[in-house]
Amino acid sequence: MEHSLAAGPAGVLPAMIASGAPAAWLARNPGAELVEVVDLRNRPLAVMPLPVVHAQQLFHRSVLVLVYNPQGKLYLQQRSRTKAVYPSRWDVSASGHVQAGESLEDAARRELFEELDIQAERLMGRLQVPATPLTGYEFVTVFTVGRVHAVPRPNPAELDGGMFVDADEMDYLIRDYVDVLTPGLVHLHERGQLFPGSQNAAGLLLTP
């Protein structure tokens, strides 16, 4: 039977949403990032602090952005060694959570600017990845800005660096160094979503 409430493995919405515990948590942790908790159909249920959402394994939303250089190589970011999840691993160009009250497009533009100092004039394509334990209970939306001439400038507060790779180099990394890559990056490449294989490497195999 499908549950109508957002949940992790227990299959029920934790009582802390109804109990007012998030407000008490926020009082102890001012400035915490707030996100929308959603149900199994990605419908909003409540606004809660991100650390609480992660701890309770509640469904929420995130975005990924793919950036290509003029030669069609994909930019990979190296996550900061201080990250709680997958520290120092190589990941998609930019990524992050959708904040409460924020559109998917605005979240993608914000993360791209915060992490790589790139202003997105347009966002293309939308690949929707359902929320599962493998996605960290996140409904993931993948965007691309296509081929850009701007040089990514990794934010040292967020990232430890970055590099451009082509499809063959990506195959090599997955074959011999998969342990230094995030599962999400590997999953997208195995689905053929990183390098569609056309003249415009970004535009697009990605479908709604």
Side-chain angles (χ1 to χ4, degrees):
M1 181 179 70
E2 180 182 78
H3 296 289
S4 61
L5 297 179
V12 294
L13 187 67
M16 68 181 307
I17 290 181
S19 70
W25 191 95
L26 277 174
R28 298 191 302 271
N29 299 271
E33 185 175 6
L34 298 177
V35 300
E36 287 183 339
V37 174
V38 298
D39 65 12
L40 288 173
R41 296 181 181 177
N42 200 7
R43 297 175 299 189
L45 288 174
V47 173
M48 296 183 64
L50 180 60
V52 176
V53 171
H54 280 166
Q56 295 292 322
Q57 297 183 324
L58 302 175
F59 292 117
H60 55 296
R61 303 181 182 122
S62 66
V63 292
L64 306 180
V65 187
L66 306 179
V67 177
Y68 300 83
N69 68 9
Q71 292 73 45
K73 288 190 172 186
L74 173 68
Y75 187 81
L76 302 184
Q77 63 159 266
Q78 185 175 27
R79 295 170 61 84
S80 170
R81 70 197 70 182
T82 63
K83 291 281 189 181
V85 179
Y86 302 122
S88 298
R89 292 205 190 189
W90 294 91
D91 201 355
V92 295
S93 310
S95 64
H97 296 93
V98 180
Q99 297 178 353
E102 188 176 39
S103 72
L104 296 173
E105 291 84 356
D106 286 346
R109 288 189 174 92
R110 174 179 53 78
E111 291 293 345
L112 187 62
F113 181 72
E114 288 180 356
E115 294 186 351
L116 301 181
D117 196 25
I118 292 178
Q119 297 272 11
E121 295 183 3
R122 60 175 179 164
L123 294 168
M124 298 177 289
R126 271 197 185 179
L127 170 69
Q128 301 286 349
V129 181
T132 68
L134 293 177
T135 68
Y137 301 97
E138 296 175 3
F139 286 92
V140 183
T141 302
V142 184
F143 293 99
T144 176
V145 293
R147 301 189 184 198
V148 300
H149 291 277
V151 177
R153 298 171 56 191
N155 180 351
E158 298 265 356
L159 313 174
D160 281 347
M163 63 180 176
F164 282 101
V165 299
D166 60 24
D168 290 338
E169 290 166 333
M170 192 72 239
D171 287 336
Y172 168 72
L173 288 172
I174 288 178
R175 184 179 67 246
D176 293 344
Y177 297 99
V178 69
D179 289 343
V180 304
L181 310 176
T182 64
L185 177 65
V186 174
H187 177 68
L188 287 175
H189 188 56
E190 290 176 343
R191 290 185 60 178
Q193 297 293 346
L194 296 183
F195 299 95
S198 65
Q199 283 288 325
N200 179 359
L204 267 182
L205 180 67
L206 303 182
T207 56

